[in-house]
Amino acid sequence: MHNMLSQTTRGLSLALSGLIVAVVFYVSVFGVFSESYLRVGMLLVGGLLILLSQIEGTDSSVGKLLSLITAAGLSVAVYQYFKAAAEIETGLYFLTSADIWLGLLGLIAVIELTRRSVGMVMAGVAAFVLIYGAFGQYAPGFMRHAGMTSEELIQVLWFSFDGVFGRPMATVVSTILIFIIFGAFLEFLTIDRVLVKLALAATGRVRSGPAAAATIASGLFGTISGSAVANVVGTGVITIPLIKKRGFKPHFAGAVEAAASSGGQITPPIMGAVAFIMADVTGQPYLTICLAAVVPALLYYAGLFMAISSAARDMDIEEVEQPKLNFAWREVAQIIVFMLSLTAIVVAMVGGSSPAYAGFIGVAFAVVLGFALKPGLLTDRVSWITFIRSAGMISAQLIVIVGAVGIIIGILNLTGVGLRFASLVASYADGQLVISLLLMALACLLLGMGMPTVPAYLIIVLVMGPALQKLGVPIIHTHMFVLYFGVLSAVTPPVALAAFAAAPIAGAGAMRTAVEASRLALPGFVIPFAFIYQPAMLLGTGYSLLASAQSILFVTLAVLLISRACYPAKGKAIFAPIGIVIAFALLFFGPLVSWIAVAAAVMLLSSVRFGKFLISDNS
């Protein structure tokens, strides 16, 4: 009997995963068939899939019962939505007490599913904001709102497209999920492992070896992965043991993987699917977003390389002859498949295709070329089941998470607390841009902690975006500033999800790994401020090539100085503060001071060999 139930559960889970994948393909090719059925139906299917998987994975009777209760609550709430939706759209329907209670049950189910998907932090935030919406009229100070009836609250959050089923849900189910499937299919073809091998071959001669390889591999795979944690788990199981074997300490090995994996979310062309949401929210073309993101992403990874190189020298990691890695023709072909698939997506977007259809074209390229290379996969039943389950589960978790984001966005819109927060920041800063930016950077890190990139970005930009735009910051620069700090929250203590995921793989302490990851990624915390003070570094935002070249020069030198200062050479630590001062002069005090700082940076790097890599470091 137990085996029969287990098999039934597994079969239903696989069927629901397959349904999600099929719907995503249909929507990518033919477009949205019905907004209500797509958004609400995908939430129901995704929620049931998560619950079935947890029933399958637990032996606890209480756990199974709670899962069944949650499934029943979600199903009934969705049924009530469809029962009332047609009349609500006419504007002549008033919610009944049954509507209100079942709508509340749906919201609680979404929060519980979020807890099961990504833990207490995100679920706790959504629950707190929901309670604030209901009782915020009793809150102190600027947090107090005018109050609202339970009918108003539930109608917005559950029975409209302004809450759980709002714009983030629409963007995810119609645009982003195809890229989740794209990433899962590349894993199905084992291209992620070939990328790690390619990175190892490219960095075999440098002192930092596998640490540099992890940076390259995580950047390449991270751009298609919607989660820094998933990127850590996917590539870290290969790279972290190799970094430790090279002689680096366990916490450093985990920190390298965490910092590199987080950077994948800011790397074009896909940016963990954030590029498409940013294009939708800002109203800017997708290619403009990608072009603006290119230089900052390159500088982030350049800073990582320099920091890792300096650390390798400081730890006395000896240069050794790396074993030569030979690539079979099939592995070379897999790398070509990866590059062609990404190229196909970009070309399709340039040609005017929708992001979803461009994603479908990328998947089609990967499917045709991948099966041409590995025809045996066509009949590999186990691999197919793994792929469908993986794609379905990751998609389901993202759907549920953006449902929770919808609760938060709905409450913020209803209460206006986001705008009041922006006004509060402006009043505390008293018109001082730098103080405003520091306050907002801190708020972004706090709001982003414990959340995947997509929901973190959406919540942060809603709360913090208006404050930045009030200061006259252009819209793309505003969103990039917010995105960077949302991404970096994954390596920032005390809730550094990417670092915490890397720590057990490395066999290191979680908090020590997080601190080391923040140290490695320190230039990434400075780069967003450069968006504001050196705005021309974001290409395609209306500045001349000369202005862009000048800004890029200033920021590049600043990043190198900061990276070297984080891991100064033995006996040269005294020069680290000087490097930091010059870096700030490069970024924040206008062109005249910046050009003087360029000369000072060159003198420092050459005369005291602070940047030994400029002469002969082989690292």
Side-chain angles (χ1 to χ4, degrees):
M1 184 68 177
H2 181 271
N3 287 338
M4 185 181 295
L5 286 173
S6 180
Q7 288 176 358
T8 302
T9 304
R10 281 199 298 271
L12 285 172
S13 297
L14 183 61
L16 291 176
S17 294
L19 178 60
I20 289 175
V21 172
V23 170
V24 171
F25 277 126
Y26 180 92
V27 170
S28 299
V29 177
F30 300 107
V32 176
F33 49 88
S34 164
E35 288 289 356
S36 293
Y37 280 103
L38 181 62
R39 301 186 199 187
V40 184
M42 288 291 266
L43 176 67
L44 176 61
V45 173
L48 292 177
L49 174 58
I50 291 168
L51 293 167
L52 279 171
S53 298
Q54 299 210 343
I55 289 173
E56 182 185 340
T58 182
D59 293 324
S60 168
S61 299
V62 175
K64 290 181 179 181
L65 179 61
L66 287 174
S67 295
L68 289 172
I69 291 171
T70 306
L74 180 65
S75 301
V76 172
V78 166
Y79 169 78
Q80 193 70 13
Y81 173 92
F82 284 119
K83 185 179 174 183
E87 295 180 74
I88 289 173
E89 287 175 7
T90 67
L92 301 174
Y93 182 78
F94 296 96
L95 297 186
T96 65
S97 58
D99 292 327
I100 292 170
W101 283 109
L102 291 176
L104 177 61
L105 187 62
L107 297 177
I108 292 171
V110 168
I111 292 170
E112 170 61 11
L113 286 165
T114 302
R115 183 192 68 81
R116 291 168 181 259
S117 298
V118 290
M120 275 303 300
V121 175
M122 179 73 192
V125 170
F128 173 80
V129 172
L130 178 59
I131 294 168
Y132 168 72
F135 303 105
Q137 64 268 34
Y138 305 114
F142 88 100
M143 291 294 291
R144 184 183 298 118
H145 62 71
M148 64 193 78
T149 66
S150 57
E151 182 177 359
E152 290 172 328
L153 186 69
I154 299 301
Q155 180 153 353
V156 168
L157 295 184
W158 188 256
F159 292 99
S160 77
F161 285 165
D162 296 318
V164 171
F165 309 114
R167 193 170 178 178
M169 180 71 76
T171 304
V172 165
V173 297
S174 64
T175 301
I176 290 178
L177 293 187
I178 189 66
F179 294 95
I180 300 296
I181 292 172
F182 179 51
F185 191 77
L186 292 181
E187 286 189 69
F188 175 57
L189 296 175
T190 65
I191 287 178
D192 53 336
R193 295 180 180 273
V194 180
L195 290 177
V196 172
K197 187 174 178 181
L198 174 66
L200 286 169
T203 58
R205 288 179 166 272
V206 302
R207 187 196 307 256
S208 48
T215 304
I216 294 174
S218 297
L220 286 173
F221 193 69
T223 187
I224 61 169
S225 170
S227 167
V229 173
N231 198 6
V232 166
V233 174
T235 58
V237 292
I238 305 169
T239 58
I240 289 174
L242 292 173
I243 297 171
K244 290 170 63 178
K245 189 176 179 181
R246 185 71 180 82
F248 290 98
K249 295 175 182 175
H251 72 278
F252 186 86
V256 168
E257 182 59 45
S261 293
S262 298
Q265 314 298 297
I266 54 174
T267 305
I270 298 176
M271 298 167 65
V274 172
F276 304 109
I277 286 189
M278 189 181 292
D280 184 60
V281 173
T282 61
Q284 300 293 318
Y286 158 78
L287 292 176
T288 300
I289 302 296
C290 282
L291 188 60
V294 167
V295 171
L298 290 175
L299 290 176
Y300 177 82
Y301 279 102
L304 270 184
F305 272 112
M306 292 305 103
I308 292 167
S309 170
S310 298
R313 182 185 57 204
D314 186 51
M315 295 176 190
D316 292 326
I317 303 292
E318 296 181 2
E319 296 181 45
V320 297
E321 188 65 33
Q322 295 293 319
K324 190 172 181 180
L325 295 172
N326 296 314
F327 287 83
W329 71 267
R330 187 172 275 113
E331 291 176 318
V332 174
Q334 284 178 286
I335 296 167
I336 294 171
V337 168
F338 174 75
M339 300 308 298
L340 285 177
S341 299
L342 284 183
T343 303
I345 291 171
V346 176
V347 170
M349 292 290 294
V350 172
S353 298
S354 69
Y357 189 67
F360 172 77
I361 290 174
V363 173
F365 264 78
V367 167
V368 172
L369 297 175
F371 287 145
L373 285 176
K374 293 186 170 184
L377 284 176
L378 278 168
T379 55
D380 188 341
R381 181 172 171 272
V382 174
S383 294
W384 272 110
I385 290 174
T386 302
F387 159 65
I388 293 171
R389 279 178 171 273
S390 174
M393 181 55 67
I394 296 171
S395 299
Q397 289 174 340
L398 185 55
I399 290 167
V400 165
I401 292 165
V402 295
V405 169
I407 295 174
I408 297 167
I409 291 176
I411 295 293
L412 292 178
N413 286 336
L414 276 170
T415 60
V417 72
L419 292 173
R420 291 204 299 277
F421 188 83
S423 299
L424 185 70
V425 169
S427 65
Y428 272 117
D430 195 26
Q432 297 295 314
L433 180 61
V434 65
I435 297 174
S436 298
L437 292 174
L438 287 170
L439 287 172
M440 281 183 280
L442 179 60
C444 288
L445 289 171
L446 291 172
L447 287 169
M449 283 180 183
M451 296 187 194
T453 304
V454 170
Y457 162 72
L458 284 169
I459 293 170
I460 294 166
V461 83
L462 184 74
V463 177
M464 304 306 305
L468 269 177
Q469 288 181 274
K470 269 189 174 182
L471 297 169
V473 178
I475 187 166
I476 291 182
H477 296 71
T478 297
H479 283 249
M480 290 292 288
F481 183 93
V482 165
L483 173 63
Y484 262 67
F485 280 105
V487 166
L488 289 168
S489 66
V491 295
T492 306
V495 186
L497 288 185
F500 290 175
I505 300 173
M511 194 56 66
R512 190 178 183 190
T513 302
V515 171
E516 193 70 41
S518 299
R519 183 182 177 190
L520 280 167
L522 187 62
F525 291 89
V526 177
I527 289 171
F529 289 92
F531 300 159
I532 314 302
Y533 287 92
Q534 301 290 342
M537 72 175 288
L538 298 188
L539 302 177
T541 54
Y543 295 90
S544 68
L545 286 176
L546 185 62
S548 294
Q550 175 180 272
S551 291
I552 291 169
L553 172 64
F554 296 157
V555 181
T556 300
L557 283 173
V559 165
L560 297 183
L561 288 167
I562 293 168
S563 298
R564 288 290 177 175
C566 288
Y567 295 92
K570 290 180 179 177
K572 303 289 178 64
I574 190 174
F575 297 110
I578 300 173
I580 295 290
V581 170
I582 294 173
F584 275 70
L586 282 162
L587 296 177
F588 302 122
F589 296 100
L592 178 60
V593 174
S594 294
W595 279 111
I596 294 171
V598 168
V602 172
M603 288 175 59
L604 180 65
L605 290 167
S606 57
S607 63
V608 303
R609 296 172 67 85
F610 187 66
K612 191 178 176 184
F613 64 96
L614 291 176
I615 302 172
S616 64
D617 194 344
N618 290 330
S619 60

